[in-house]
Amino acid sequence: MRRSPLVALVLTTLLLVTPSTARAAVPDRAADAAATLTGVRTAGTAWGLDPATGRMTLTVDDTVAPSELAALRTTAERAGVLLRREPGTLRPLIAGGQGIYGGGARCSLGANARSGSTYYVITAGHCTTAAATWYADSAQTTVLGTRTATSYPTNDYGLIRYTGRIAHPSAVYTYPGLLTIHGPGTAYVGQAVCRSGVTTGVRCGTITGLNQTVNYATGVIYGLIRTNICAEPGDSGGPLYVASTGTILGILSGGSGNCTSGGTTYYQPIGEVLAAYGLTLP
């Protein structure tokens, strides 16, 4: 992510108020900054509160043109937010290859969920937009199921209803092995987490932000979890989970960077998906 501190301006403002006034002013400044950043629609940007600094942060990837960057810098200065550069490209992580397959797309299964006796795959919405029928193998001979819902953009989740005979335990594949999933969890900043995906396997790190907004070239996604875990195309839709408790926190939407040099990833909270469709994790 990127750096343009604006420290002198912030310190000048803080020195002009009493401690009690400062405490009241911080939420107002954050709300004002959020109101300004809501209008940012430049592809390759993300924004949200950075818990490490307590300030709103506007992140810019390598695809943002110099003219766009200059405009975003002006916006950041006007809103009093940090502007940070992040190497790579913010994109939904989808590719051809192994995993769950639909059309020419490859993604990762996020969670097995159910409504009564009907079972579903939860994965990323930018994945389920790619095809109506999904398969469990790259040759597309083993039917997984049929897409029944997609919410993308704004959100990034979709459902595939199981129609094939393939087993679907409540578990995360940990390359190798299975971790039993007992239910959903709630994310918090600093939480130790892992994610699993077909391209890069299991990778672990920490949650670095909540309620993040990401501007992909294909649309804006709101309310995401941010981590310092890397991912690559094909990992999309895979679960963000806590190994010690067997709980799923979210499903991978996208990110920037890679698993050679490192990266940042964003996740759709699982609780929102379950509530939207009336599902439970078995």
Side-chain angles (χ1 to χ4, degrees):
M1 297 184 180
R2 337 306 186 222
R3 293 164 175 80
S4 177
L6 309 177
V7 173
L9 175 60
V10 174
L11 288 178
T12 300
T13 302
L14 291 177
L15 290 172
L16 295 178
V17 296
T18 65
S20 60
T21 306
R23 285 193 297 270
V26 169
D28 290 341
R29 283 200 303 274
D32 290 344
T36 299
L37 294 175
T38 297
V40 174
R41 289 292 185 270
T42 306
T45 61
W47 61 268
L49 183 68
D50 184 351
T53 63
R55 295 182 61 187
M56 298 296 287
T57 301
L58 176 61
T59 300
V60 184
D61 76 7
D62 288 341
T63 67
V64 176
S67 59
E68 294 175 316
L69 180 59
L72 290 170
R73 194 180 303 279
T74 298
T75 298
E77 291 174 350
R78 185 174 69 250
V81 305
L82 293 174
L83 179 71
R84 299 196 295 202
R85 298 298 303 268
E86 187 167 89
T89 302
L90 279 167
R91 78 280 191 203
L93 299 172
I94 188 169
Q98 288 187 315
I100 61 172
Y101 301 79
R106 178 188 73 183
C107 284
S108 297
L109 188 153
N112 288 317
R114 66 183 176 89
S115 175
S117 60
T118 304
Y119 284 78
Y120 299 89
V121 170
I122 298 175
T123 190
H126 70 266
C127 293
T128 54
T129 59
T133 302
W134 285 79
Y135 300 85
D137 64 319
S138 59
Q140 300 193 10
T141 57
T142 304
V143 174
L144 189 68
T146 303
R147 178 188 65 206
T148 57
T150 295
S151 183
Y152 183 84
T154 302
N155 302 304
D156 193 1
Y157 50 78
L159 296 183
I160 301 165
R161 181 173 59 85
Y162 277 103
T163 59
R165 296 179 179 272
I166 191 167
H168 39 80
S170 182
V172 169
Y173 186 54
T174 55
Y175 293 88
L178 291 175
L179 172 71
T180 299
I181 293 301
H182 302 291
T186 302
Y188 60 86
V189 172
Q191 190 173 15
V193 290
C194 296
R195 66 145 194 84
S196 180
V198 69
T199 304
T200 59
V202 172
R203 304 284 173 148
C204 299
T206 58
I207 291 175
T208 58
L210 304 174
N211 197 30
Q212 304 288 299
T213 299
V214 176
N215 290 294
Y216 297 130
T218 50
V220 186
I221 314 297
Y222 302 95
L224 301 180
I225 301 164
R226 185 183 69 212
T227 79
N228 59 7
I229 307 174
C230 69
E232 295 184 6
D235 288 327
S236 271
L240 180 71
Y241 63 95
V242 180
S244 61
T245 58
T247 53
I248 290 180
L249 306 180
I251 55 172
L252 179 60
S253 172
S256 60
N258 56 59
C259 288
T260 299
S261 58
T264 298
T265 43
Y266 296 86
Y267 302 79
Q268 176 75 56
I270 190 67
E272 181 180 346
V273 187
L274 300 176
Y277 298 121
L279 302 175
T280 60
L281 296 184

